Amino acid sequence: MTRGQLRVYLGAAPGVGKTYKMLEEGRRRLERGTDVVVGFVETHDRPFTEAMLDGLEVVPRKAVQYRGSDFTELDLDAILARRPEVALVDELAHTNVPGGGHVKRWQDVDALLDAGIDVLTTVNVQHLESLNDVVERITGVPQRETVPDAVVRRAEQIELVDMTPEALRRRMAHGNIYKPEKIDAALGNYFRVGNLTALRELALLWLADKVDEQLDRYRADHGIDKTWEARERVVVALTGGPEGDTLIRRAARVAARTKGADLLAVHVVRGDGLAGADPANLTRQRLLVESLGGTYHQVLGSDVPHALLDFARGVNATQLVLGASRRNRLAQILSPGVGVTTTAASGSIDVHLVTHEQARRFSWRARQPGGLGLRRRLAGLALAVAGLPLLTLALDALRPEMALPSDILAYLVLAVAAALVGGLLPALLCAIGGFLLLNWYFTPPLYQFTVAERENVFALVAFVFVAVAVATVVDGAARRARDAARASAEAQTLATLAGSVLHGDNPLDALLERVRESFGLACVTLLERRSEHDPWQIAASVGGPPCTSPGEGESEVPIDDNAALVLSGHPLLAADRRLVEAFAAHAAIALRQQRLGRQAAAAQTLEEVDRLRTALLSAVSHDLRTPLAAAKAAVGSLRSPDVAFSPEDTGELLATAEESLDKLTRLVENLLDMSRLQAGALALTLQPVSVAEAVPRAVDDLGPAAAGVRINLPDDLPEVYADPALLERVLVNVLANAVRYSPPDRPPLIGISEHAGLVDIRIIDHGPGIPAADRERVFQPFQRLGDRDNATGVGLGLALSRGLAEAMGGTLQPEHTPGGGLTMTLTLPSAEGAGAAPVDPALLAHLDLRRTGKAEPV
């Protein structure tokens, strides 16, 4: 079955006309003969929107009951059964009422698309998941209903319903969006010009990214590699040299000149993998690019200019920033270089060649030793020194039988053998020595350094050239083999490092320990300081006694001006320094991430405390104010000399005051007990308690509201090991919750059973129940799962009940009631055999397993 197509009408704010546009498109398709139905449209009592529904078939909504209230939702099953060609579904980010099917409306839309039905829908920019926090910072209004960006980006068409802030405010003032009593508040808060302008810009930029994706896909599908300057993209090429910082900042300034321009940094890795750049520099430059809002990329290519241009054209870049060459004039004459070659082949891409301090600062670096070991080089020299005279004697003895060309070939074989054994130097010795010996002993006139015939001159020169060429190739191959082996070893070390860091609880310590093990060091210390004038401080250290300053170690690897990696144990080899610099750069990143993690954890703790404080103040304000007001009104009325109350009225007022004060007492006790639980200071008196007596007492405590509660008490029920007062409080809290949400004709049922040394007390109701994803949330303090007011309490009862149950060595778990509803199971250890002794640890472990759902069936 072909999947349906999704069309989204995106708006910057409520009232811009998304629903109107959607209905207008639906009517247009209906007039063309398309089968169109309205699945769900929220008109918000706007007359112009309601008028657009005329003539459209509307699928009746599904009625859903939740916590005693009636709601209507999209009837997904009815639309699937109707199977129209197009369905109109408003408010894509809407959260469905629990019990109505999917959690989110966009999941309903996905089901319609999977059934081959095209869907037209609407969404505001503030509901996009990636922009939710940004919108909250702009408007100060949190948006609880969100839709993943990927859902909207998958749409085949996204149409922006745009309107200027001034026009939207005029529409608001004319009463076309909200009712008159809400207009002034809306214009002064959410619908301020600044807010609407920022939201409009967010919508335009988000849609521009989506359009950019579509453009890239179109260019890829049609094989278009030419640059289309639809959006500025600045690519900066990095070599890993010290000039990279200058190039990145220059490219960032170029990108900043155009609103919405992208900054991309790219480093081309040579195809042989041997001529790599400094990894420490690249790591630092990658962080710099990301801090400036850009992205970092690496591509593989043997031809650097070609690879750069391929990448630039692939990302549809408009400008390319390169650094001026660091080579001297002679090198530039022999080869034009990357900059000149790239500029010549760039086509429509603008190329910027940026000068820097390193330009033309070419230095002849000391040549690295050959790839062959000392023993082989000595063997090659010995072969050359001994082989030349021996070969000369042998050829002299065979003079009558061999001509000059054969003699030249013999010396060439010796030069090749010397090159294979000892590399370049022995081969050069053979070539020069062979040339002289051939000229003296075998080239007429003999025993003179002269050549009579031109043909022999060419032969001797060719001999020297071939011998030197072969020696150079052999030496180069050995050098590259050595570099390849070293690169492989470095890659293996870095791979091991990455594994140890990723699987470790402390990445920084794991990284430093890997450095210490890999290079056989005694101690590795990461030092840092705030500025050049401040003393060094130890950020992290592994191994022996840490170094307190860079000078205390045998080797120092600077990371930046205020951070360094100090190594002690033995001096660091020059060949290992490049790899250690990469470790040092990653150590700095790990240190920063470690601190960011701590800051995030601290911020999360503060946020949680603040959230609890806000919820507490919000919830308790009502629960304190209402009973206080009721008690004050009752007492004030009784004290009033202006009214004479009858005995019945006086008793009713006194009962009201007493009931209000009892509510205050319970609230304060709950708050105090929750504080004691969190502080670990709750006093317990654990003893055998009769469940047959505790359950009826808890029912009686609830008064007339629990008159219909049914209790199923089996015979020979054992006692539980618990605190009597706390057990009764747990039962009262849980049972009160069940009574509150149970239908009048189906009161709660209390069932009790015993097995394997545990007693289960099940309080079963047939109310609206709780979705599986939200069942643990009910045990968080001040959570009421969707209640909009505080009339149902502070949301502390279940949180306190679970805490008290666990303090007594038990558990409190929610389960689904077959047929609908919620079952709360309180599990406590049996008192049989326990006496006054502590609860068996194995029994507590079994309780923990039952709570997590991992216990084996008994």
Side-chain angles (χ1 to χ4, degrees):
M1 179 183 297
T2 304
R3 180 177 168 88
Q5 293 194 346
L6 177 63
R7 182 168 184 170
V8 178
Y9 291 88
L10 175 67
V16 295
K18 304 178 302 298
T19 304
Y20 188 92
K21 283 288 186 182
M22 179 184 68
L23 292 172
E24 188 177 55
E25 175 65 16
R27 295 173 66 92
R28 187 180 66 82
R29 296 195 183 191
L30 181 64
E31 292 172 357
R32 292 187 313 184
T34 305
D35 185 11
V36 179
V37 300
V38 176
F40 189 99
V41 166
E42 188 62 68
T43 64
H44 299 287
D45 297 327
R46 297 167 187 167
F48 294 104
T49 305
E50 292 177 348
M52 294 297 292
L53 285 171
D54 293 342
L56 291 174
E57 178 184 349
V58 180
V59 176
R61 300 183 183 182
K62 177 173 61 176
V64 180
Q65 282 194 343
Y66 181 66
R67 295 193 172 183
S69 300
D70 294 329
F71 301 89
T72 58
E73 291 289 357
L74 171 74
D75 195 338
L76 177 62
D77 295 334
I79 298 176
L80 292 175
R82 170 66 173 74
R83 295 197 61 81
E85 295 179 71
V86 179
L88 277 56
V89 181
D90 206 4
E91 298 182 355
L92 183 63
H94 172 74
T95 301
N96 294 326
V97 175
H102 293 119
V103 177
K104 305 288 289 187
R105 183 164 292 165
W106 63 262
Q107 296 172 318
D108 294 334
V109 169
D110 258 354
L112 293 175
L113 295 173
D114 289 338
I117 301 172
D118 294 345
V119 177
L120 308 183
T121 187
T122 65
V123 69
N124 277 329
V125 70
Q126 66 263 31
H127 296 300
L128 296 173
E129 185 67 47
S130 64
L131 300 177
N132 183 260
D133 56 336
V134 180
V135 173
E136 182 176 353
R137 287 196 296 269
I138 293 172
T139 64
V141 180
Q143 301 292 334
R144 294 179 176 85
E145 293 186 329
T146 60
V147 58
D149 289 46
V151 174
V152 184
R153 288 187 182 278
R154 285 199 299 265
E156 282 73 19
Q157 297 182 63
I158 300 179
E159 181 176 332
L160 178 64
V161 183
D162 189 30
M163 179 175 289
T164 65
E166 293 77 13
L168 184 57
R169 285 171 58 86
R170 282 197 302 271
R171 178 178 288 184
M172 171 73 72
H174 293 160
N176 295 329
I177 301 177
Y178 290 158
K179 294 182 178 180
E181 60 270 17
K182 297 182 179 180
I183 292 176
D184 291 338
L187 290 175
N189 291 282
Y190 193 88
F191 284 83
R192 295 195 301 268
V193 173
N195 289 355
L196 297 177
T197 302
L199 293 174
R200 188 185 185 200
E201 182 179 15
L202 284 178
L204 290 169
L205 291 176
W206 190 92
L207 187 60
D209 288 336
K210 167 64 177 176
V211 173
D212 201 52
E213 292 177 5
Q214 293 176 335
L215 178 61
D216 289 342
R217 186 163 56 249
Y218 178 85
R219 294 175 71 244
D221 293 343
H222 292 78
I224 301 172
D225 56 1
K226 294 182 179 180
T227 302
W228 286 6
E229 299 181 11
R231 183 174 183 174
E232 286 290 340
R233 279 189 177 83
V234 181
V235 174
V236 53
L238 302 178
T239 64
E243 75 281 358
D245 295 4
T246 302
L247 300 181
I248 292 170
R249 292 188 175 93
R250 176 60 175 164
R253 291 196 296 271
V254 172
R257 295 172 183 170
T258 304
K259 185 70 174 180
D262 294 332
L263 173 63
L264 301 91
V266 60
H267 170 66
V268 178
V269 180
R270 298 294 295 267
D272 53 18
L274 303 178
D278 188 340
N281 283 343
L282 285 176
T283 301
R284 187 184 67 255
Q285 290 161 9
R286 175 176 62 84
L287 294 175
L288 177 59
V289 170
E290 293 172 352
S291 68
L292 294 173
T295 56
Y296 177 82
H297 308 266
Q298 282 195 172
V299 296
L300 184 67
S302 56
D303 186 347
V304 175
H306 183 73
L308 278 177
L309 291 175
D310 281 348
F311 175 81
R313 294 189 179 105
V315 299
N316 203 24
T318 57
Q319 302 188 61
L320 180 60
V321 178
L322 303 173
S325 177
R326 287 182 286 170
R327 304 182 307 153
N328 59 16
R329 290 187 179 276
L330 177 60
Q332 293 184 30
I333 292 174
L334 296 177
S335 174
V338 174
V340 175
T341 306
T342 304
T343 304
S346 62
S348 60
I349 301 176
D350 297 336
V351 178
H352 302 263
L353 283 176
V354 179
T355 59
H356 49 83
E357 294 182 356
Q358 304 297 323
R360 296 191 178 177
R361 288 191 178 182
F362 182 82
S363 60
W364 294 97
R365 293 174 294 181
R367 183 178 178 84
Q368 296 180 347
L372 300 176
L374 178 61
R375 179 176 299 178
R376 288 190 59 180
R377 291 198 297 273
L378 292 176
L381 289 173
L383 177 61
V385 171
L388 285 172
L390 292 176
L391 180 59
T392 303
L393 291 175
L395 292 176
D396 185 61
L398 298 173
R399 185 186 300 272
E401 302 176 6
M402 299 184 65
L404 180 60
S406 300
D407 297 335
I408 292 176
L409 289 176
Y411 280 100
L412 181 59
V413 170
L414 178 61
V416 172
L420 293 173
V421 175
L424 183 60
L425 183 59
L428 290 176
L429 179 60
C430 281
I432 296 173
F435 174 80
L436 297 175
L437 291 172
L438 281 169
N439 193 357
W440 184 265
Y441 286 103
F442 303 104
T443 305
L446 301 180
Y447 311 117
Q448 296 180 24
F449 287 111
T450 59
V451 180
E453 300 179 5
R454 293 182 179 179
E455 180 182 352
N456 293 337
V457 172
F458 174 77
L460 292 175
V461 172
F463 159 73
V464 174
F465 175 78
V466 172
V468 172
V470 171
T472 303
V473 170
V474 171
D475 185 71
R479 191 185 306 279
R480 293 177 70 83
R482 181 208 59 190
D483 291 342
R486 182 169 187 82
S488 176
E490 290 180 356
Q492 181 64 33
T493 303
L494 290 173
T496 306
L497 163 69
S500 63
V501 170
L502 289 175
H503 294 91
D505 295 330
N506 193 330
L508 180 58
D509 288 345
L511 189 149
L512 297 183
E513 182 62 28
R514 180 61 58 185
V515 174
R516 191 186 68 81
E517 292 178 355
S518 299
F519 299 98
L521 300 168
C523 176
V524 178
T525 305
L526 179 61
L527 297 177
E528 64 173 351
R529 59 185 179 183
R530 293 185 177 180
S531 66
E532 296 180 358
H533 306 290
D534 292 326
W536 289 97
Q537 295 181 347
I538 299 174
S541 180
V542 296
C547 301
T548 57
S549 66
E552 292 186 10
E554 279 79 3
S555 301
E556 173 196 359
V557 180
I559 300 174
D560 54 36
D561 294 338
N562 298 315
L565 195 65
V566 182
L567 315 176
S568 60
H570 60 77
L572 185 66
L573 298 177
D576 294 332
R577 189 172 188 87
R578 178 170 171 266
L579 185 59
V580 175
E581 287 177 349
F583 277 93
H586 285 286
I589 296 174
L591 177 61
R592 188 182 70 168
Q593 291 177 342
Q594 187 181 78
R595 288 180 175 168
L596 289 176
R598 292 173 183 170
Q599 293 174 3
Q604 184 176 6
T605 302
L606 293 175
E607 182 181 359
E608 181 67 18
V609 171
D610 185 67
R611 186 190 65 80
L612 290 176
R613 183 187 297 112
T614 302
L616 173 62
L617 293 175
S618 174
V620 173
S621 62
H622 178 277
D623 287 83
L624 286 175
R625 186 168 59 249
T626 301
L628 278 175
K632 185 177 184 302
V635 174
S637 298
L638 290 173
R639 293 189 60 190
S640 175
D642 300 331
V643 181
F645 293 99
S646 65
E648 293 80 6
D649 293 338
T650 301
E652 184 176 350
L653 289 174
L654 289 174
T656 300
E658 183 181 14
E659 182 182 355
S660 300
L661 294 175
D662 287 341
K663 289 182 178 179
L664 284 176
T665 301
R666 287 195 297 270
L667 172 63
V668 173
E669 288 177 351
N670 283 344
L671 291 173
L672 289 175
D673 285 343
M674 180 59 71
S675 300
R676 294 190 187 103
L677 275 174
Q678 293 178 345
L682 184 67
L684 296 176
T685 304
L686 297 178
Q687 61 188 40
V689 180
S690 172
V691 178
E693 296 177 1
V695 170
R697 281 201 304 268
V699 174
D700 292 340
D701 286 347
L702 292 177
V709 174
R710 297 167 294 163
I711 304 175
N712 183 11
L713 285 173
D715 297 332
D716 302 327
L717 185 67
E719 295 179 325
V720 296
Y721 196 65
D723 184 300
L726 298 185
L727 173 60
E728 187 173 340
R729 291 192 62 187
V730 172
L731 292 173
V732 169
N733 284 338
V734 176
L735 186 57
N737 199 67
V739 170
R740 182 180 301 120
Y741 295 111
S742 292
D745 57 338
R746 302 190 70 182
L749 169 66
I750 301 177
I752 306 170
S753 61
E754 184 270 338
H755 59 85
L758 300 173
V759 175
D760 289 340
I761 304 175
R762 292 183 175 85
I763 300 177
I764 306 168
D765 69 62
H766 295 277
I770 299 176
D774 293 334
R775 286 175 188 165
E776 286 302 314
R777 285 180 53 204
V778 300
F779 296 104
Q780 298 177 12
F782 318 118
Q783 295 289 329
R784 291 188 296 275
L785 284 188
D787 292 347
R788 298 292 181 176
D789 54 33
N790 297 322
T792 55
V794 298
L796 196 60
L798 290 179
L800 179 62
S801 298
R802 171 173 276 186
L804 295 176
E806 292 177 348
M808 294 185 293
T811 62
L812 181 63
Q813 286 295 103
E815 300 172 357
H816 176 69
T817 300
L822 182 69
T823 298
M824 299 293 289
T825 302
L826 173 64
T827 303
L828 292 170
S830 169
E832 291 185 354
V839 182
D840 185 5
L843 188 59
L844 291 178
H846 182 64
L847 284 169
D848 290 337
L849 288 175
R850 291 189 56 179
R851 176 179 173 184
T852 58
K854 299 178 181 178
E856 297 180 359
V858 179

